[in-house]
Amino acid sequence: MIRRIITIDEKNEKPRYLMLQVETATKHYSSAIVYANERLEENPYNENLWRKKIDLYRKLGNNQEADRLLERLLTIYPEDNQLRKDVVERKLMLAKQQRDKGDYRSMEESLRQLIELEHDSASHYKALFNLLYRNGRLEEAAEIAENIGATAIMQVS
């Protein structure tokens, strides 16, 4: 019945919202993502819809796509501190997973992305310094050490 209403009245958002809720409740996450996408076509800057879609991808186990969408959402809302915090937490978790797997090249990339997000965080610089130093990349580690010093000075000021 609801699907027929959607077909008949394409402008009405309420049936799409209901179908999104139904598909989520019945754990048909792929179908729910379709309805979220349809609603996002009408409301492309609705942060709650974006977060719902991200949550649906996480429920599907597709954290890579969920993380990509979270970062995309941050480009839409760069001043949203909670969103920035969510992206940083995911990057930190990813870096730890990469460390545990011994994937140091990917870990380095994640740490550099964290530094871009929070360039005043000495802990990100220190983690990157330690990684580079342990891998014998002493010149790069020295450059990072200079940044750690500059960051520490800025924090004291």
Side-chain angles (χ1 to χ4, degrees), residues 63 90 92-103:
N63 287 319
R90 287 295 303 167
L92 281 170
M93 188 167 55
L94 184 62
K96 288 175 185 174
Q97 289 172 351
Q98 292 162 337
R99 181 195 62 211
D100 293 345
K101 290 180 185 175
D103 185 0

Side-chain angles (χ1 to χ4, degrees), residues 22-75:
V22 167
E23 297 294 0
T24 301
T26 58
K27 299 183 180 182
H28 296 121
Y29 303 127
S30 294
S31 297
I33 289 169
V34 170
Y35 288 110
N37 285 336
E38 287 178 3
R39 294 197 63 221
L40 281 167
E41 285 177 17
E42 294 294 321
N43 302 304
Y45 298 106
N46 185 322
E47 185 177 350
N48 290 330
L49 274 174
W50 280 103
R51 285 195 175 270
K52 180 68 173 172
K53 184 176 174 179
I54 291 165
D55 182 54
L56 289 167
Y57 273 109
R58 292 218 191 282
K59 288 179 178 179
L60 278 173
N62 191 343
N63 287 319
Q64 187 175 10
E65 182 64 12
D67 290 344
R68 188 188 71 75
L69 290 174
L70 191 62
E71 290 176 32
R72 182 176 175 198
L73 190 56
L74 184 60
T75 63

Side-chain angles (χ1 to χ4, degrees), residues 82-97:
Q82 181 59 47
L83 191 55
R84 181 172 300 281
K85 182 181 172 188
D86 293 346
V87 171
V88 167
E89 285 177 16
R90 287 295 303 167
K91 291 279 182 203
L92 281 170
M93 188 167 55
L94 184 62
K96 288 175 185 174
Q97 289 172 351

